[in-house]
Amino acid sequence: MNQDILRMEGITKIYGNGILANDGVNFTLREGEIHALMGENGAGKSTLMNILFGMEQPTAGTIYLNGQKVRIHNSSEALKMGIGMVHQHFMLVSSLTVAENLILGNAPRKGILTDSKKAKSIVRELSEKYHFSLNPDTRVKDLSVGMKQQLEILKALYRGAKILILDEPTAVLTPQETEKLFEQLKILRDNGHVLIFISHKIREVIEICDRVTIMRSGKSMGVYDIHGNPEEGTSDITEEDISRLMVGRDAVLEIKKTPAQPKEVVLRVDKAFNVDSEKKVHVRNVSFSVRSGEILGVAGVEGNGQAELIAMLTGMQPLDAGDVRISDVSIRGKKIRDIRENMLAYIPQDRLTYGVVASGDIMENLVPFLVSDSRYSDRGFLKNRKLRTLAKEVSKDYRVKCDDSDQLVSMLSGGNMQKVVVARELSEKTRKHVPLIVADQPSRGIDIGATTFIHQKLLELRDQGAAVLLISADLNEILELSDSVIVMYDGQIAGYFEDTRQLTESELGQYMLGVKKQTPEEIKGVCHGEYE
């Protein structure tokens, strides 16, 4: 049996507001393993890893590294001890080259000057050793998402990390990039590194990891050998076992849906263009439509025009050419408020920036569409008692875990924060009916329970006649929910698939990477008829 190189014993973290994030958690790492850390949002896994990386200090508990008791006061100390972390949101300077990002804050010197030649040599040596494909002279802004992640890993290795924490490393990767990453992680493991793999994706954990620690409500639910350990008499742990340990009940791993019954066109995008101030075209000549009673998925590697497309649909960016019509009414010249209140429901990708007011309470975030409703306001004065009663009902309907509707949104887990957004946008109690739902990365960074609930709600509304536009980098989400799919590459539609039942993640990945592209005639079908 491999030796433990890290032991975290009895780790407890209580924040100043009395929230218990970690409750006597034990966590161990062995030499030569990839160890998964799983749990719903709010389970305490991020806090535990932040403590290990020195970003948080434990209220109680002890950390042993290579048998020695240690206290990790900050991330610089963690790196000196050989502990590195690759965050889900990359910390790179896009205008600098690969080599310049690698050595930032820790540059090799030639006298008083930075040794640029040495920096480039380090990139090449590390890339060759770990089978990465990074050119030291390439600027970060020109790298794919997968290569940016390679650079983040390389940065940690350059700083001497033996233990590497990877936070949701496959969240924005194509299947091909994920497969490549897994090859590289195995090489890292075989070269003596120990990896902590934080993920919500159960199938990936089973594929790549050796053991898994599962957390729920701030406690460890145990550590399990994923493929069994004959020496210890343990057997394989199944997807269902992991799910049950994470959420405390059997969770639905695959969404069951009935065939769509699409009707009239609700959203029509006609030859849309978006150009920024530097004359760069982000969306070019994009045309498609979404009908009542169907979900159209938009797949693509991030940065291929999806964000700009959504910004145009929601009125946050202007249409530089073309038109967008919702229920045959053009959005041109309309204010964002008019579009949001009367034409579409919007679940944004970045819930903290565009979805909620984190400093407000749950009620304040649920009821903005009701402030002019005579049932809840009287000559400009809100009927707070009625609104609070309504907020309690809606919170219960959408399973928002909270003490009360006056709890601050900033105190909720990511999954519950997302449920507040979804409740405000989709509940018939919080707003009037709108024909179109735009769901942008609706399950990003949230747990299985919240994801399943949101997916079921979108399907329920589809079956009631809503038109749903789903944008997601999670291909499993795209394939499970969508009735048809378009793929965006370089600001254009690269492929259209009318039926997702036989579509695979691998095939979608080919279009997402620009390896394959359909002809205009093949793509034309997504328009559901020509403009007059």
Side-chain angles (χ1 to χ4, degrees):
M1 182 193 301
N2 291 340
Q3 296 296 311
D4 291 344
I5 64 166
L6 171 78
R7 298 200 323 273
M8 302 177 77
E9 296 184 351
I11 300 296
T12 296
K13 176 65 178 180
I14 304 172
Y15 287 100
N17 50 21
I19 290 180
L20 179 64
N22 287 157
D23 185 4
V25 176
N26 295 330
F27 180 80
T28 62
L29 280 180
R30 294 175 181 170
E31 291 181 347
E33 76 168 341
I34 302 176
H35 192 120
L37 181 61
M38 302 193 74
E40 293 194 290
N41 271 74
K45 58 188 186 299
S46 294
T47 300
L48 186 69
M49 289 300 99
N50 286 339
I51 289 171
L52 178 58
F53 194 52
M55 296 170 69
E56 299 272 7
Q57 295 303 306
T59 307
T62 311
I63 300 174
Y64 296 91
L65 188 61
N66 297 315
Q68 300 295 313
K69 183 178 177 180
V70 296
R71 184 86 178 186
I72 308 171
H73 296 94
N74 51 54
S75 9
S76 295
E77 285 189 8
L79 284 164
K80 288 176 183 176
M81 294 178 189
I83 302 168
M85 187 167 185
V86 177
H87 298 272
Q88 186 175 349
H89 301 290
F90 304 144
M91 299 180 179
L92 301 169
V93 182
S94 61
S95 60
L96 299 182
T97 66
V98 166
E100 289 166 342
N101 269 275
L102 182 76
I103 64 172
L104 204 58
N106 193 18
R109 294 289 176 182
K110 193 173 185 179
I112 61 171
L113 302 175
T114 297
D115 191 342
S116 298
K117 187 176 180 181
K118 178 64 175 176
K120 293 178 183 180
S121 175
I122 292 169
V123 172
R124 293 190 188 99
E125 288 171 9
L126 289 175
S127 292
E128 183 177 349
K129 180 177 181 180
Y130 297 109
H131 294 202
F132 289 178
S133 51
L134 290 167
N135 183 329
D137 295 314
T138 303
R139 296 201 178 276
V140 165
K141 65 182 179 181
D142 297 321
L143 295 177
S144 68
V145 175
M147 294 182 78
K148 287 177 183 175
Q149 187 173 70
Q150 287 183 20
L151 177 54
E152 284 282 22
I153 293 172
L154 226 56
K155 280 172 56 182
L157 297 176
Y158 169 61
R159 285 158 176 76
K162 178 179 173 63
I163 296 171
L164 197 57
I165 306 165
L166 302 167
D167 186 8
E168 299 283 353
T170 66
V172 294
L173 301 184
T174 65
Q176 289 80 4
E177 289 171 325
T178 297
E179 186 178 336
K180 178 68 175 175
L181 173 67
F182 285 0
E183 291 173 6
Q184 292 161 341
L185 296 186
K186 290 173 183 175
I187 291 169
L188 285 167
R189 179 188 60 191
D190 296 343
N191 274 274
H193 297 278
V194 183
L195 309 175
I196 302 173
F197 188 90
I198 305 172
S199 179
H200 289 109
K201 299 181 179 180
I202 296 177
R203 291 168 193 173
E204 289 185 355
V205 163
I206 288 176
E207 179 183 346
I208 188 68
C209 298
D210 304 296
R211 295 193 301 157
V212 56
T213 294
I214 300 171
M215 295 189 67
R216 187 168 81 228
S217 301
K219 297 181 180 181
S220 170
M221 305 308 294
V223 57
Y224 302 87
D225 288 295
I226 290 175
H227 304 294
N229 188 329
E231 293 180 13
E232 298 181 2
T234 59
S235 57
D236 294 2
I237 188 169
T238 66
E239 293 181 28
E240 290 75 17
D241 293 334
I242 293 174
S243 175
R244 186 166 51 252
L245 287 162
M246 284 172 62
V247 303
R249 54 183 165 75
D250 290 326
V252 179
L253 294 177
E254 290 188 6
I255 298 293
K256 293 181 179 179
K257 64 177 183 180
T258 56
Q261 302 292 328
K263 296 176 183 175
E264 72 281 356
V265 169
V266 170
L267 170 67
R268 220 182 248 294
V269 178
D270 180 33
K271 299 180 178 65
F273 277 83
N274 174 262
V275 185
D276 66 19
S277 58
E278 298 178 355
K279 305 299 182 184
K280 181 178 179 181
V281 180
H282 294 282
V283 177
R284 62 185 76 233
N285 198 32
V286 167
S287 298
F288 66 89
S289 61
V290 187
R291 296 168 293 184
S292 166
E294 76 172 344
I295 298 177
L296 175 67
V298 181
V301 176
E302 289 191 17
N304 279 278
Q306 303 97 307
E308 290 78 12
L309 175 65
I310 298 310
M312 289 191 296
L313 295 182
T314 54
M316 297 169 69
Q317 285 187 16
L319 275 159
D320 292 301
D323 196 13
V324 172
R325 302 181 74 84
I326 300 173
S327 295
D328 209 29
V329 176
S330 176
I331 69 168
R332 275 191 170 279
K334 293 194 177 295
K335 295 180 179 178
I336 295 175
R337 184 182 183 89
D338 187 16
I339 294 171
R340 295 282 287 104
E341 283 194 355
N342 301 310
M343 304 181 83
L344 59 83
Y346 176 41
I347 303 169
Q349 175 182 157
D350 187 341
R351 54 182 168 266
L352 279 171
T353 302
Y354 299 110
V356 297
V357 178
S359 59
D361 63 29
I362 293 172
M363 185 207 79
E364 291 167 336
N365 276 275
L366 281 175
V367 301
F369 293 118
L370 299 177
V371 294
S372 58
D373 189 320
S374 60
R375 293 175 298 170
Y376 301 103
S377 66
D378 183 14
R379 289 173 289 184
F381 293 95
L382 296 178
K383 300 176 181 178
N384 281 310
R385 183 174 295 177
K386 280 192 172 183
L387 286 172
R388 292 221 172 269
T389 299
L390 178 71
K392 287 180 181 179
E393 291 177 6
V394 175
S395 296
K396 184 178 179 181
D397 292 344
Y398 279 74
R399 303 178 193 171
V400 179
K401 294 179 184 177
C402 58
D403 297 330
D404 206 336
S405 63
D406 59 2
Q407 184 173 343
L408 293 181
V409 167
S410 60
M411 303 308 298
L412 299 177
S413 70
N416 285 298
M417 198 180 292
Q418 187 76 331
K419 285 181 184 177
V420 170
V421 176
V422 172
R424 181 189 65 233
E425 297 298 320
L426 305 186
S427 173
E428 60 184 14
K429 295 178 181 178
T430 56
R431 66 175 303 170
K432 64 183 179 183
H433 170 76
V434 287
L436 175 65
I437 299 167
V438 177
D440 189 4
Q441 315 287 352
S443 66
R444 171 163 292 176
I446 64 174
D447 53 66
I448 291 173
T451 295
T452 300
F453 181 84
I454 292 169
H455 285 178
Q456 289 173 335
K457 183 59 65 174
L458 289 174
L459 284 170
E460 177 186 317
L461 291 168
R462 177 206 74 165
D463 293 341
Q464 292 173 7
V468 182
L469 183 67
L470 169 69
I471 302 90
S472 181
D474 184 339
L475 295 191
N476 188 56
E477 180 171 58
I478 287 284
L479 291 174
E480 284 195 348
L481 283 185
S482 304
D483 302 301
S484 52
V485 172
I486 57 175
V487 181
M488 289 195 69
Y489 177 75
D490 194 26
Q492 297 176 296
I493 296 177
Y496 164 56
F497 303 90
E498 189 173 8
D499 189 342
T500 61
R501 285 175 291 185
Q502 303 302 318
L503 188 58
T504 66
E505 290 189 13
S506 179
E507 185 176 5
L508 270 181
Q510 295 287 312
Y511 287 88
M512 291 167 66
L513 293 170
V515 176
K516 288 184 178 180
K517 185 175 182 179
Q518 291 178 358
T519 66
E521 284 302 314
E522 291 175 300
I523 295 169
K524 195 175 180 181
V526 75
C527 295
H528 304 300
E530 295 294 324
Y531 281 91
E532 294 182 1

